[in-house]
Amino acid sequence: MAGSTYEAAVVFKHVAGELDAACARLAHARDVDWVSTAASGYQAELATVRARLRAVARDVEDARQVVLHHTVAAETAVLDALGAPPDQLGQPLGWAREVSARLQP
Amino acid sequence: MTRVPAGTPAPVPDVPAPRPVMRVHGGAGGTRAHLEDLTRAAGVLRDVAEHLDAARRATAALDDIVEEGARWSPATTAAASHACQALTAPLGGLGSAALAARTTADSLDRAAQAYAEADTRVTRVLRAGLVATANLVGEAGPVAWLAAGALGAAGGSRLLAVRLLMRTPTPVGLAHRALAAIAMRGDGPVAVAARHLLGGRAVLPDWPETRYLEPLVDPVAAWMVGAMPGRSDLVSLVRDRDRGSMPTSQAATGLLGVMVLAALATGHRRGELVVAPSLRAEARPGAAETPPRDVADVVARIPDLYADHERPGELGDVAVTRVEQPDGSLSWVVTVPGTSSWSPFESTDPFDVRACLQEMATDPAAVERFAAMQAARDDVTATVVRAMDQAGIRPGEPVVIAGHSLGGIAAMDLAADPTLGRFDIRAVITVGSPVAAHDVPSRVQTLHLETSHDAVPTLDGRPNPDAPNRTTVTVDLEAGHAFGDAADTPSGAHAVGVYADAARMLRSVDHPSVVEFERHLGEVVGGPGTTASTTRYTGMRLPPG
């Protein structure tokens, strides 16, 4: 399991990248040239989507902190058990799986 | 509508964007309707949904990561697991945000479709009403024309009075000036109309952008059809065509008939067309020259082809440029000038009004009706075809034809003519030509260059069709100071020199439709290492007898 902090960070970076791309694309969706009362309805729908994106982005950030807290705690426990230096924390450790197997209860 | 600010930086938020220099529609890059914005926005929202879905898929890996750590840190597992579940929850998670984006995209698509259908219906009904009314006024005879003219004159005199009043330091004049200032800031249809009525520098209203005049073409043409001798077919006039305007075509056919009859009545006979290498001093047949590389290079060749009116009797030329690639293969660029004779009778110059009318009469029934009275092909296209034959263009050798005004219509006509299959016409460039009614095979790429205040391209009463092989670029003569006072008069806006300048501006346009056309043109005219030489031909009608 060691190295999970690194993996989790990679996953969250990917998710954040997709969210950023979605937000950037959404900004372009506002540029609609029409003369209609329906335009306000569209802008309202767009605002809803934008609000959801913001909420999801907040959830992702919350999840990132909680999950990384969890993986750091788990990795610290593993490193303590191995007597490995704490600076190995969060690194993509090549020996992680072998060590993890050795420590298997 | 896609707007391309040529050579201008991206607008800074909250700062008014500069007036776009060019509008592009059709071609590889998209269509003209504002509804395109809706469809594009729907596409953008679907992209948003795709990104959200990708994010949701990525979060699936988090469950395993949290689970792996549970053994070593059981105290933090529940919170981490709960946080991950929130990201994939059916309500409020990434998936539901993606669903919301997709739902909005679907709504937009449906709205665009509904608008398009409603727009088509309303436009048809309005146009049919205007055309029918104008035709009935035409049929009613001179009294009705005078009454309609009096109404128009009354409106015009009121307008003149308003504009004169604006120049007086009276409360009413100041109020009008204030209204005009408000109108100058607006961009909606009402503001545009008010701007032309109240704004401007002169006493008379400015010459407006011709897209606002285009809807008047059908009614005016329908009135002309009604005013001509004989009963007009109202049903055929109001019937919508796939391409071009039926009233315009019928009016052109009617005028052509009147001219033919007048020529017969006065004993004026049509001379035989002769095409020969040009004798003009500037025509240096076969001299090596810089090969054309892009649209601007091709269009730049057209102004020189017009006859110099300072030299009596001089006629316009058609130029055929032979382009030789480094591998020895040949391609050709044919450039054609526009109308140079405004005589109602056929003179020695084939580039005359009659050829214009013949090119505008695109209704097959009308063309057939007058076929017996005129040649199968008008003398302009005949001149171009003979010039191409005399230049030695062989089957399979790629050809680009470019023309200004009447020359552009002739170019489209040639590209569409199935009997000219011996010429491999790959691209057509028209500048200031009414070509909405002309169709070309999909293998022929066309670029139509128009200026915002040129009335000639609107004479067919329709915008050019949007198709992947048809790109229309409209250059705004009032944006920036590149065109001086060209926008002030119809002739200035149609001048071939203005179009040559406008074509040069295409070099700074990165719209996909324009880029694709330039790429296609580049394939035909070749790249480095090509050589070119031009031969010019003059068409002339010999005096009968």
Side-chain angles (χ1 to χ4, degrees):
Chain A
M1 66 104 343
S4 293
T5 301
Y6 173 80
E7 290 169 13
V10 168
V11 169
F12 276 111
K13 192 175 176 187
H14 180 67
V15 170
E18 295 289 354
L19 274 176
D20 284 347
C23 289
R25 299 292 288 159
L26 197 63
H28 291 291
R30 288 163 52 192
D31 184 22
V32 171
D33 181 11
W34 63 357
V35 183
S36 163
T37 50
S40 57
Y42 168 61
Q43 295 298 344
E45 281 199 48
L46 213 56
T48 307
V49 175
R50 204 177 305 126
R52 285 199 180 205
L53 267 182
R54 275 201 292 266
V56 165
R58 275 197 305 273
D59 287 348
V60 168
E61 177 55 25
D62 291 348
R64 191 183 73 85
Q65 289 183 13
V66 174
V67 169
L68 290 185
H69 176 69
H70 169 65
T71 55
V72 166
E75 271 184 51
T76 306
V78 171
L79 292 171
D80 280 350
L82 290 170
D87 62 357
Q88 297 291 327
L89 190 67
Q91 299 297 314
L93 304 175
W95 42 264
R97 298 205 181 279
E98 290 79 359
V99 173
S100 185
R102 191 151 51 99
L103 293 175
Q104 197 76 23
Chain B
M1 186 182 317
T2 311
R3 293 174 174 181
V4 183
T8 53
V12 179
D14 300 328
V15 173
R19 185 169 170 156
V21 177
M22 295 199 182
R23 295 188 300 270
V24 181
H25 73 84
T31 59
R32 93 181 273 137
H34 288 273
L35 299 179
E36 181 205 349
D37 282 347
L38 304 189
T39 314
R40 183 190 54 75
V44 168
L45 282 168
R46 290 204 172 83
D47 286 347
V48 169
E50 289 295 320
H51 285 298
L52 289 168
D53 278 340
R56 182 181 53 75
R57 285 193 298 274
T59 56
L62 292 173
D63 290 337
D64 291 341
I65 292 170
V66 170
E67 185 57 32
E68 278 184 24
R71 240 182 9 252
W72 302 97
S73 178
T76 56
T77 303
S81 189
H82 180 73
C84 291
Q85 281 168 8
L87 300 183
T88 53
L91 286 176
L94 287 159
S96 79
L99 182 64
R102 279 207 180 84
T103 306
T104 306
D106 291 344
S107 307
L108 276 180
D109 275 342
R110 281 195 298 274
Q113 197 178 351
Y115 272 108
E117 286 170 5
D119 196 31
T120 306
R121 283 196 204 110
V122 170
T123 305
R124 271 188 195 156
V125 169
L126 278 176
R127 183 178 290 146
L130 281 170
V131 164
T133 306
N135 183 250
L136 289 174
V137 170
E139 289 284 357
V143 175
W145 308 347
L146 284 173
L151 278 175
S157 63
R158 278 173 184 271
L159 175 61
L160 198 63
V162 166
R163 311 256 322 196
L164 284 170
L165 204 56
M166 282 171 63
R167 294 166 169 260
T168 61
T170 59
V172 180
L174 290 172
H176 277 304
R177 282 223 289 277
L179 279 175
I182 293 168
M184 295 302 276
R185 287 199 292 271
D187 201 27
V190 176
V192 168
R195 185 156 61 231
H196 285 297
L197 292 176
L198 297 170
R201 299 177 296 276
V203 173
L204 290 172
D206 289 340
W207 178 244
E209 282 191 53
T210 47
R211 61 180 160 147
Y212 301 115
L213 297 179
E214 199 164 61
L216 300 178
V217 170
D218 271 7
V220 170
W223 172 80
M224 288 173 70
V225 172
M228 285 175 196
R231 177 70 59 183
S232 52
D233 181 4
L234 186 58
V235 175
S236 73
L237 275 175
V238 298
R239 192 182 299 144
D240 230 19
R241 298 176 72 191
D242 287 343
R243 293 206 191 284
S245 144
M246 179 63 90
T248 305
S249 173
Q250 289 198 8
T253 311
L255 287 171
L256 198 56
V258 169
M259 289 171 76
V260 170
L261 292 174
L264 286 173
T266 56
H268 193 92
R269 284 188 296 150
R270 179 195 187 104
E272 187 190 347
L273 179 70
V274 174
V275 178
S278 175
L279 297 176
R280 283 165 58 176
E282 57 270 37
R284 291 170 291 120
E289 61 189 78
T290 308
R293 295 272 180 245
D294 56 13
V295 173
D297 281 350
V298 174
V299 174
R301 292 162 175 259
I302 301 175
D304 197 30
L305 301 175
Y306 277 88
D308 183 352
H309 290 298
E310 301 295 314
R311 301 179 197 164
E314 187 173 270
L315 299 175
D317 284 346
V318 171
V320 183
T321 301
R322 178 182 186 271
V323 180
E324 185 169 349
Q325 317 289 342
D327 64 0
S329 60
L330 295 179
S331 57
W332 303 82
V333 177
V334 181
T335 38
V336 189
T339 313
S340 48
S341 167
W342 299 97
S343 164
F345 299 117
E346 289 174 309
S347 61
T348 53
D349 190 349
F351 288 76
D352 59 7
V353 180
R354 191 155 147 173
C356 293
L357 292 173
Q358 211 165 335
E359 289 287 358
M360 297 293 290
T362 52
D363 172 31
V367 170
E368 194 178 332
R369 198 187 315 162
F370 289 99
M373 285 189 265
Q374 59 197 5
R377 185 184 301 287
D378 69 87
D379 283 344
V380 172
T381 47
T383 300
V384 179
V385 169
R386 290 197 210 174
M388 291 166 74
D389 278 329
Q390 289 181 27
I393 300 178
R394 289 177 298 189
E397 292 174 347
V399 179
V400 175
I401 308 184
H404 173 238
S405 195
L406 170 60
I409 316 178
M412 290 291 283
D413 204 16
L414 292 173
D417 192 337
T419 66
L420 295 175
R422 64 181 184 278
F423 297 126
D424 183 12
I425 298 171
R426 299 272 183 90
V428 172
I429 301 167
T430 71
V431 288
S433 305
V435 289
H438 290 72
D439 201 6
V440 290
S442 58
R443 64 183 163 73
V444 181
Q445 286 290 326
T446 63
L447 184 130
H448 312 297
L449 187 59
E450 301 176 353
T451 63
S452 53
H453 292 66
D454 184 1
V456 176
T458 65
L459 286 179
D460 49 16
R462 297 286 186 281
N464 292 332
D466 284 334
N469 66 326
R470 297 192 67 168
T471 300
T472 301
V473 180
T474 306
V475 179
D476 189 344
L477 296 181
E478 289 186 325
H481 304 284
F483 297 101
D485 56 1
D488 291 351
T489 58
S491 59
H494 186 61
V496 67
V498 168
Y499 273 106
D501 292 341
R504 271 195 293 279
M505 295 180 77
L506 285 179
R507 288 175 175 151
S508 60
V509 173
D510 59 358
H511 190 280
S513 297
V514 176
V515 171
E516 173 59 21
F517 185 85
E518 292 279 18
R519 189 198 62 75
H520 183 78
L521 183 66
E523 281 182 2
V524 178
V525 297
T530 55
T531 56
S533 60
T534 297
T535 306
R536 289 162 58 151
Y537 299 87
T538 306
M540 179 182 176
R541 292 194 196 104
L542 296 177

